[in-house]
Amino acid sequence: QVQLVESGGGLVQAGGSLGLSCALSGGPFSIYTMGWYRQVPGKQRELVASITTTADTNYADFVKGRFTISRHSAKNSVSLQMNSLKPEDTAVYFCNARWSKIGRDHWGQGTQVTVSS
């Protein structure tokens, strides 16, 4: 059974930086496109960034130039470095692993990121 365990997050002032990490266990990391999503109460979960098995990246327009997603195959993990944080970045951030071949998704439990103004 694939499990995703997130770490990082917390409280930071606007303009600051935070890093998130997500470790995958119970499955072959190399087959998964990894992504970070976020959700605020009352809104749909939205894609923040993703990275494919060949390290191609995709970013939501609202984080381009501020966030960087990386995959670390030796550690079966993916990270999200968040710089120049804004109060509107406040959300619960979820790690996602997608096996595109069969359309299967796995989710982490989520980690809270709060940016104070």
Side-chain angles (χ1 to χ4, degrees), residues 28-76:
F29 181 75
S30 62
I31 67 171
Y32 290 102
T33 289
M34 302 298 297
W36 288 96
Y37 289 71
R38 70 187 190 187
Q39 189 171 23
V40 297
K43 290 192 173 182
Q44 285 191 332
R45 194 171 294 186
E46 60 184 359
L47 175 69
V48 175
S50 64
I51 185 166
T52 69
T53 58
T54 54
D56 292 320
T57 57
N58 178 47
Y59 294 93
D61 286 343
F62 53 77
V63 303
K64 282 182 180 177
R66 301 188 299 123
F67 291 11
T68 302
I69 188 170
S70 303
R71 66 188 294 146
H72 312 283
S73 298
K75 296 183 179 181
N76 286 358

Side-chain angles (χ1 to χ4, degrees), residues 92-111:
V92 178
Y93 284 71
F94 295 89
C95 179
N96 171 268
R98 174 167 296 169
W99 187 9
S100 299
K101 185 176 181 179
I102 64 172
R104 179 169 291 172
D105 279 301
H106 303 279
W107 293 93
Q109 78 282 2
T111 185

Side-chain angles (χ1 to χ4, degrees), residues 12-34:
V12 67
Q13 288 189 330
S17 299
L18 277 176
L20 304 180
S21 185
C22 171
L24 182 149
S25 62
F29 181 75
S30 62
I31 67 171
Y32 290 102
T33 289
M34 302 298 297

